[in-house]
Amino acid sequence: MFNSPHRRFNPLTAEWVLVSPHRAKRPWQGQVEKSLTASLPHYDPTCYLCPRNERAGGVVNPDYRETFVFDNDFAALLPQEEPSNPTESGHPLMIAVSERGICRVVCFSPRHDLTLPELELYQIENVISTWTRESADLASKNFIQYVQVFENKGAAMGCSNPHPHSQLWSQSLIPTEIAKELATQTAYFNEHGRPMLLDYVREEHKRKERILASNDHFTAMVPFWAVWPFEVMVVGHRPAAALSDLNPAEVSALADVFKQVTTRYDNLFEISFPYSMGFHQAPASPAGAPHPEWVLHAHFYPPLLRSATVRKFMVGYEMLAMPQRDITPETAAERLLSLPLVHYKQRS
Ligand code: H2U
Ligand code: ZN
């Protein structure tokens, strides 16, 4: 079945992906080009994220030594009390509702040149703890329903600055992707009495075809229903609604899995591998509401397909009909697993 066109179901979004493995018979025969990655300085005097430098709004960054958090100077959402244009409902086909929120930026470290896989484990733990602290702070605001932690990495993903950083956007609406995952996980839990993602991880461990990294508390795999060629999902081993539910051992375990996944990513084409990565936490509101259906997880969506310069475009059929992929998730996992766990820059 898996050598001919078929579709796979994503139970988290209740959407299908078309898989066309026969089109990928020759996927890695083409030349693998290495893009020349300019080596970055430890400190860049023109970078608005480096310590001691001035940002766009005129604020000067502190001489920070670990992570650094600030409110986004060009935030997509604002915490305004009184919306200047309240709900517009003159016609049911033209609905606009004002939206409140808070956006923050999190720098991983003072170093302009060190991405996640190049950081020490304790530094990755520190980044996760910063995401946790900031998520909890934003979730505690009465008008916030959801906190999205994400990293846009690389120019290919529209990242505006190579200084390793991530963002938190929090808002008063449960966003589209979260609403889908809440509905599917709730329905599964009501039907089976178990969280969907725990059943899924158990099945992946039985099959051992798509797992990339695993320890006591987290598993990373190319999901059965992956859309992006080298998509990865990192899933916890127990129900957890939010990053703030993790204990110190789980934070270390998560850092370990993140380091393994991002190292393999960089080693694939020996470049700093671009992606959009983000955590899916349960809605933050109503505060304290139990979420036995929710298993904390992260999605990595990398755009590259065949080389450092050949990317997968979500165009044509994908835009107009449904997502499609050529290489199977199993082939992608096999390829990532064949790579060393030592970062290419650290190999002599
Ligand atoms: P991305 O490169 O992932 O888009 O993130 C950079 C963010 O940093 C972006 O959202 C913000 C932009 O609004 N920013 C500031 O807050 N201050 C600045 O001085 C420049 C950029
Ligand atoms: Zn910098």
Side-chain angles (χ1 to χ4, degrees):
M1 174 209 184
F2 291 164
N3 295 320
S4 56
H6 61 279
R7 60 195 157 96
R8 297 190 187 191
F9 185 66
N10 180 339
L12 266 178
T13 57
E15 290 163 353
W16 292 90
V17 51
L18 181 63
V19 186
S20 315
H22 60 293
R23 296 218 313 180
K25 287 273 150 60
R26 34 101 211 133
W28 309 112
Q29 290 170 355
Q31 192 185 339
V32 177
E33 300 154 66
K34 251 185 216 176
S35 71
L36 292 173
T37 40
S39 65
L40 295 168
H42 293 193
Y43 166 79
D44 177 351
T46 68
C47 167
Y48 60 78
L49 297 178
C50 274
R52 305 179 301 280
N53 292 355
E54 188 177 316
R55 296 206 305 275
V59 182
V60 175
N61 294 331
D63 190 13
Y64 65 97
R65 300 298 157 100
E66 296 181 317
T67 55
F68 169 53
V69 185
F70 61 92
D71 281 344
N72 197 313
D73 298 307
F74 306 96
L77 291 144
L78 299 168
Q80 82 275 15
E81 298 281 334
E82 290 293 327
S84 53
N85 44 351
T87 302
E88 179 78 56
S89 53
H91 191 281
L93 292 181
M94 294 186 183
I95 298 171
V97 181
S98 71
E99 183 68 11
R100 295 173 73 187
I102 301 175
C103 299
R104 290 183 182 156
V105 178
V106 176
C107 297
F108 294 164
S109 89
R111 285 280 295 266
H112 186 78
D113 58 328
L114 293 185
T115 59
L116 272 188
E118 298 166 90
L119 295 178
E120 301 292 334
L121 262 185
Y122 81 90
Q123 293 173 305
I124 303 177
E125 289 170 13
N126 197 19
V127 170
I128 296 169
S129 301
T130 306
W131 288 333
T132 302
R133 210 165 43 240
E134 295 301 322
S135 293
D137 178 59
L138 292 167
S140 73
K141 315 228 179 261
N142 60 8
F143 63 97
I144 294 299
Q145 282 228 63
Y146 180 71
V147 182
Q148 181 62 56
V149 176
F150 66 98
E151 177 189 8
N152 268 343
K153 179 167 175 269
M157 293 311 286
C159 179
S160 61
N161 185 324
H163 192 125
H165 67 280
S166 56
Q167 302 192 46
L168 289 99
W169 290 21
S170 59
Q171 66 187 97
S172 52
L173 169 93
I174 297 177
T176 317
E177 293 302 308
I178 306 311
K180 285 186 217 165
E181 292 195 359
L182 182 62
T184 54
Q185 289 183 102
T186 302
Y188 188 97
F189 187 81
N190 290 343
E191 188 180 341
H192 302 273
R194 297 181 310 269
M196 174 202 286
L197 285 180
L198 295 194
D199 279 3
Y200 174 61
V201 169
R202 197 170 307 118
E203 189 59 27
E204 285 290 7
H205 276 276
K206 270 191 213 152
R207 300 187 179 212
K208 297 184 175 61
E209 288 182 298
R210 283 169 293 270
I211 292 179
L212 296 179
S214 185
N215 55 32
D216 285 349
H217 303 292
F218 284 92
T219 297
M221 67 232 118
V222 179
F224 180 78
W225 52 80
V227 167
W228 293 94
F230 294 98
E231 181 174 330
V232 165
M233 188 162 72
V234 176
V235 186
H237 292 179
R238 68 171 176 95
L243 283 162
S244 54
D245 293 327
L246 302 182
N247 61 41
E250 289 171 318
V251 170
S252 299
L254 183 57
D256 167 50
V257 166
F258 263 49
K259 189 165 170 90
Q260 292 190 46
V261 169
T262 54
T263 299
R264 290 193 192 281
Y265 269 170
D266 279 11
N267 285 343
L268 183 59
F269 303 129
E270 300 204 346
I271 51 155
S272 184
F273 200 67
Y275 58 70
S276 275
M277 179 282 293
F279 283 93
H280 278 163
Q281 317 193 67
S285 161
H291 281 284
E293 81 291 348
W294 199 278
V295 179
L296 178 74
H297 59 280
H299 297 281
F300 283 83
Y301 299 131
L304 293 182
L305 171 62
R306 200 167 301 150
S307 72
T309 52
V310 179
R311 62 169 289 166
K312 160 91 182 161
F313 285 99
M314 289 290 176
V315 295
Y317 192 76
E318 281 92 344
M319 275 185 138
L320 292 154
M322 72 189 288
Q324 184 270 346
R325 65 180 293 133
D326 290 347
I327 68 163
T328 62
E330 296 70 48
T331 305
E334 204 177 289
R335 214 174 131 70
L336 286 169
L337 265 185
S338 73
L339 301 164
L341 266 181
V342 178
H343 195 272
Y344 71 92
K345 282 192 197 164
Q346 276 145 19
R347 266 179 262 148
S348 50

